[in-house]
Every structure is written in C-alpha cells, then in structure tokens.
Amino acid sequence: MGKISDSKLAASCSGCFSWGQLPGRFCRGCYTYGQLHEAGRCVGCRREVPVDGKHGYCRLCRAQATWAIKASGKASVIEPYLRQVTCQQLFFANLQRPRNGGPRVGKAGRRVLKPPPLPEPHRVITTSTQLTLFTVTRDFRRFDRQLHADLTNPWLIRAQQAARALGEARGWSRWITGDVNRALVIVLSGYREGEGLTPPFSVASATPLIGMVAGCPPSDEGRRILFVRTHRSTSFQGSVMTRPRLPCRRIRGAMSGIVLLAVTAGVVTACSDEESSAHTSAFPASASATPGTHGTAGVAKLHMIENEGHRLAFHVTGGSGPVIVLDAGGGEDSSYWKDVVRKLHTATGAEIITYDRAGLGQSEAVAGPWQVESAVSDLTTGLRKLGVTRDVILVSHSQAGEIATYLTKQNPGLVSGSVLVDASLPPLYTDEEIARIVAANQPAVDAAKKEPSKPQNKQLISTAESYAPMHKAYHRVSWPDTVPATVIVSEKTPFDGSPEDAQRWRDAAATFARQGPNRALVTATGSSHDVPKDRPALVLKEIEKMATTQG
C-alpha cells in the first residue's frame, strides 16, 4: 500500500474500527489480514469479516486477546483468551511500532514476561509534620528604597539573577520583570543568613499564595503573604510578611512571579553551608575563571599585577558568566566607573573588572610617550593573570576605544562583544583631522606642561608626543568582523565647540558601524562626551544587552 498523505483526514477502519489516517476503507493491518484469510462469521463478535481458518476469529478479536495476554503478564497460547473476549479495545491506526518492542507471547514466543515491579512499601512518618510558622518582625509597609535598599546584599543579587533567568525562560513582560525585581529588593534588602525567609516547599503550597495575591483582598489579613519552605525532608520553617501597598494588577504579577521563582529556582537557602554556597545565575558559569582570583560578589578586590617592570591595579568584583571589563577614557582611572559598576553588577551578576592604566590611580607610571601597544599589553597581561581567557564584554570610553580596537584585533577569541562609548575610532583619523586635533589640543598641552606632576597632565603630555604618527597608523586598523560591537555616540561629542569636528566624530562612528556585520549605532541624545555620567541608564542597557546576547 502506498504512502498516506499528511493532509488526509482521519477516519475509522471498517474492519477493526481503529481511528487514524487510513489508506482506504481499512487500516493496513485489516487490509493485510483480509488478503490472507477468507471472509466468514467471527465466533467472537458475530460479524461477517475475514476470519482465521483455525479458530474462526477476526483480526479485532485476536488483537483484543493479545492485549489480554500482555495484561496478564504471562506467556500463553491465544485460544483461551479468544474465548474470553467480550468487548473490543479502540485502536489507533498509522502509528509506528517500536522495533524490538518487547517479548513475543503466545505459541510463537514462549518467553516469560518480566513481572511488574512491586509497589513501594508504605513509608510511615514517625516525625511531626506540623508547620512551624513565625512572624517576621520587619514591616515591609514602611520600606523606603532610598533608606532601606541594600543592592549589594548577596542574597538579593542571587535572587535577581535567578529571576532574570526564570523571566527569560517564561517570557515575562518588562512590567512583571520590574515588579519582581522591586519586590525582591523590598523583601531581601535586610535579609541575613540564617533567617527563615526561604522558598515555598511545594507548588501546592505556593498555589494558594498566588491566589491570595491575585485576589487582592482589601483586609489587612488578606495583605499577608505566607512563604513556607522545607528543611531537609521532615522539619519545616516559615515566615509571614506584610506586602507593600502596590497596585493590585502589578502585585498580582510580581508576587506570583516571586512564588514561581521560589518554587522553580530556590531563591534563598540558609539551612546549611552547602546550600548557602549554591549560586543561581542568569548566565552560565564561565570556564575562563580561575578559582581564588575573583572578588566577593558585590565587593571589588584589588589585584596588583606586574607587566614589563611596572605594576598595575586591577579591581575585580566577583560574579559569574561573562566578564565585563570597563576601560575609562584618557586621564581617567577606574574610579570613573564607580557608580556604573555597582548598578551593573546588581543588574547582571556578572564579574566586573576595572583597572588603572599606567600612571593613573594606583598603577605605577611608565617613562616616555604613551604607546597604545603598551596599554594593550598591560590590559591583556592583567586579564591573563586574572585567569580571564574568553567571554569578555569590553566596554571602552573615549581614548580606550583605541586600546579596544588593537586588543580585539590581536585577540578576537578573548572578546565576545564590545560596547564602545563615544570612543575614538579609526575612521576619524584622516590626515586633515589629525592636524586639526593637534592644533586644537595644543593650548591644553601647553597648560599641562606647567603642572606636569599631575597624573592627568602626565598622560596628556605623553599622548601628545606621539599623537600624529600613532593615529596615522590607527586609521589603517580594522575591527574584526567576528566580534559584535555597539557604538554609542554622544550628541555633543568631545568637540562641542567645533561643529565641523563634532560632525566628523559622529560620521566616524556611523562609518565604523556600517563597516562590518553585527554592529549597531546608538545616539546618546543630549549627552556630552561623558556619556557614562550623563546617560548611565543608556550605557547600562547596552552593556546588559551585549552581555545577554554574547555572554
């Protein structure tokens, strides 16, 4: 018989009444059975259909007898079971039969079926299962985010990471995601290890809680949400907390999300050292991390790393997933990113590295003019000694864009994505533009030479000494197509007083974005060259987006 078309409608077989896609009036089994046997009156069902010549039964009765043998669990001949057929089972046609689908029974097999597994013995519970409930003393109705929020709390960070992972998997809207995050901040800002505020012990326990929140009852008692968890397998803890007054619809989504998050991911556990060390992240753990080199979650750890005879200060905020490296512009050290680091770590939970370039911050100075090759070597060596070998999200501001371009070209496997924040990019540096920039910066260089001891002035002077030849070479450097990049360009640019140069800066950013795949151009409307200070939310958004898609 030919292949059955996928568009053929389901029907019932005239022989065995099986339901499914049929090649004609009969299913394949009945068609074959009819070709091998003559029609007659079935002993079992009394129908005029093809019957076997030995017992006088149709295919439907024989199939039902075979099922009865399988249900008995014993190998046997089919005849006794044929006599016991009183009804027929509904079958489905055109289903694939698995190969080696079990032992054959009846006269053709004689193999003994495996006995069904014994039911598990009833387990007698000898300990008390009564839930021990207690009231949390904190009153969440009086929560003030500015006064009480502790965004560096490690339990809050873990919960936010788990919420992001669950939200991405479940398709939460941005409103639900925001409400869950706010509710977690309220609940976990003051949490300390050992408290009983922990996830629900079962979905069944969470279900009435979701219903309670969804109903938004007006009474004070209705505003109390119960979170219960199991401790090991027999003892239970719980807590009662008063939810903050939020709009009914928003609370319904937020608290339902928290309950679901707690059931699925286990937001906070505090019953043992092993449990408290568990870490749930929105990003997978990076294989590039070396144990012992990273700081505690939310707290930056200083590492002094030596390269080519001088020491550099690297500040590592521990986390998991992609490593986000923040590189400040000319004359700025790692403190430039202070506010961004805190917010970025809270939002992503990723490991964040900032550093002081030579001669800035806590890093030692290097004699002679500033060379971009030396700066690239400093950053590459520092990352390698910190155990970071891949999955780097490189965020570079202003002059650091030159370091990013050379580093990424030399190590495309190290950088998985980059955010270039109003960065110095190769298309800008034509011979004409280099001459204009040198002439425009000369007064600032002359002023810096009057106070050469200042770190910012030292770098400006050293950069000016090699500026023209270095940027002529930089103009010929290309960004690798395999590394995605987001270019954020400010509206005012570094040349706010020169409309012509400002337009060239913006044109260079647009040209860079068009030169390769996986590049995006974002304009920071109303911002000066200090985009991380003027538009921090925009910078955070683009970094998070790059870390999520490329981390």
Side-chain angles (χ1 to χ4, degrees):
M1 303 182 71
K3 180 181 178 182
I4 303 175
S5 172
D6 294 336
S7 61
K8 189 175 180 65
L9 298 178
S12 178
C13 172
S14 300
C16 66
F17 309 110
S18 61
W19 181 262
Q21 287 184 321
L22 308 177
R25 291 181 54 221
F26 301 93
C27 65
R28 296 182 188 274
C30 287
Y31 179 85
T32 304
Y33 197 87
Q35 296 295 314
L36 300 176
H37 300 91
E38 297 292 333
R41 187 179 180 83
C42 175
V43 176
C45 63
R46 312 297 186 195
R47 295 183 302 148
E48 291 291 335
V49 289
V51 296
D52 65 277
K54 183 175 181 179
H55 301 104
Y57 285 87
C58 67
R59 176 178 174 269
L60 181 60
C61 291
R62 292 183 64 87
Q64 186 62 40
T66 303
W67 277 100
I69 294 173
K70 291 182 179 180
S72 69
K74 300 178 181 179
S76 174
V77 295
I78 195 171
E79 185 175 0
Y81 289 88
L82 283 171
R83 293 196 294 267
Q84 297 175 12
V85 172
T86 59
C87 60
Q88 275 73 33
Q89 172 70 39
L90 175 64
F91 298 94
F92 294 91
N94 199 28
L95 298 180
Q96 296 294 329
R97 176 177 297 175
R99 296 181 179 180
N100 301 325
R104 297 171 61 191
V105 296
K107 295 176 66 177
R110 302 292 186 187
R111 282 187 286 172
V112 179
L113 296 175
K114 292 182 181 180
L118 296 176
E120 294 184 2
H122 180 68
R123 183 164 58 91
V124 179
I125 300 177
T126 58
T127 58
S128 173
T129 59
Q130 176 64 39
L131 299 182
T132 304
L133 304 179
F134 59 91
T135 302
V136 175
T137 56
R138 287 176 289 150
D139 186 355
F140 295 117
R141 292 174 299 181
R142 302 178 183 274
F143 184 86
D144 187 318
R145 188 182 180 94
Q146 293 183 345
L147 298 177
H148 304 139
D150 180 12
L151 301 181
T152 62
N153 188 308
W155 300 103
L156 172 61
I157 294 172
R158 293 184 186 181
Q160 289 173 326
Q161 292 168 357
R164 281 192 301 276
L166 186 61
E168 292 175 1
R170 299 298 178 90
W172 289 356
S173 68
R174 61 189 178 93
W175 294 281
I176 293 297
T177 302
D179 287 340
V180 169
N181 183 68
R182 282 189 289 273
L184 288 174
V185 171
I186 293 171
V187 174
L188 297 179
S189 284
Y191 180 83
R192 296 294 179 266
E193 184 174 358
E195 293 183 9
L197 181 59
T198 44
F201 67 91
S202 69
V203 178
S205 303
T207 302
L209 307 184
I210 298 175
M212 184 188 301
V213 180
C216 294
S219 65
D220 289 339
E221 186 63 29
R223 296 192 180 96
R224 302 175 72 81
I225 312 299
L226 178 65
F227 279 76
V228 186
R229 70 172 295 277
T230 177
H231 182 75
R232 302 300 185 189
S233 59
T234 55
S235 62
F236 300 90
Q237 296 177 351
S239 63
V240 179
M241 61 184 176
T242 307
R243 65 187 175 122
R245 298 175 182 269
L246 296 172
C248 173
R249 183 179 63 180
R250 303 291 290 275
I251 284 190
R252 184 161 56 243
M255 297 307 295
S256 299
I258 290 181
V259 174
L260 181 59
L261 169 66
V263 172
T264 307
V267 175
V268 180
T269 56
C271 58
S272 70
D273 292 340
E274 292 84 2
E275 289 177 329
S276 64
S277 65
H279 189 102
T280 304
S281 175
F283 301 103
S286 173
S288 63
T290 301
T293 63
H294 308 301
T296 307
V299 180
K301 181 179 180 181
L302 174 64
H303 298 265
M304 297 302 297
I305 295 176
E306 184 173 349
N307 181 45
E308 299 179 352
H310 60 279
R311 299 203 311 158
L312 300 148
F314 280 77
H315 306 271
V316 181
T317 303
S320 63
V323 178
I324 301 176
V325 177
L326 305 177
D327 197 356
E332 299 288 349
D333 57 25
S334 59
S335 63
Y336 182 81
W337 299 105
K338 179 179 63 175
D339 295 335
V340 174
V341 169
R342 179 176 57 84
K343 296 176 181 178
L344 185 60
H345 188 270
T346 301
T348 65
E351 179 178 339
I352 301 175
I353 298 177
T354 59
Y355 78 108
D356 301 327
R357 283 199 295 275
L360 297 173
Q362 296 174 270
S363 295
E364 297 175 354
V366 178
W370 186 80
Q371 298 291 337
V372 67
E373 294 82 4
S374 299
V376 172
S377 174
D378 288 344
L379 179 55
T380 305
T381 301
L383 294 178
R384 185 180 68 252
K385 290 187 177 182
L386 288 172
V388 179
T389 58
R390 60 182 177 88
D391 293 339
V392 170
I393 304 298
L394 185 56
V395 182
S396 303
H397 176 237
S398 192
Q399 185 186 25
E402 300 174 23
I403 301 173
T405 302
Y406 280 102
L407 184 147
T408 304
K409 185 174 180 61
Q410 297 171 11
N411 306 276
L414 172 65
V415 181
S416 61
S418 182
V419 179
L420 304 170
V421 185
D422 218 23
S424 172
L425 300 172
L428 174 69
Y429 295 100
T430 61
D431 292 344
E432 179 185 358
E433 187 61 24
I434 290 175
R436 291 175 61 89
I437 293 174
V438 170
N441 285 336
Q442 192 59 47
V445 175
D446 294 339
K449 289 181 178 179
K450 297 178 182 179
E451 295 182 282
S453 60
K454 290 185 177 181
Q456 294 88 344
N457 291 345
K458 281 183 179 180
Q459 189 176 52
L460 177 59
I461 295 170
S462 63
T463 301
E465 292 176 4
S466 59
Y467 189 88
M470 182 173 63
H471 284 83
K472 286 183 180 180
Y474 182 51
H475 184 60
R476 297 188 294 271
V477 180
S478 60
W479 186 276
D481 291 341
T482 56
V483 180
T486 298
V487 181
I488 301 177
V489 61
S490 66
E491 181 179 356
K492 298 179 181 179
T493 79
F495 307 102
D496 193 22
S498 173
E500 182 178 355
D501 291 319
Q503 188 58 47
R504 292 185 181 188
W505 179 274
R506 289 189 288 266
D507 291 343
T511 301
F512 178 88
R514 291 193 302 266
Q515 284 178 340
N518 301 318
R519 300 185 194 177
L521 179 65
V522 178
T523 300
T525 306
S527 175
S528 69
H529 183 51
D530 277 329
V531 182
K533 303 290 187 182
D534 296 345
R535 297 289 304 277
L538 175 64
V539 175
L540 288 170
K541 174 185 174 183
E542 295 303 327
I543 297 175
E544 290 180 45
K545 185 187 300 184
M546 184 65 70
T548 302
T549 56
Q550 302 299 329

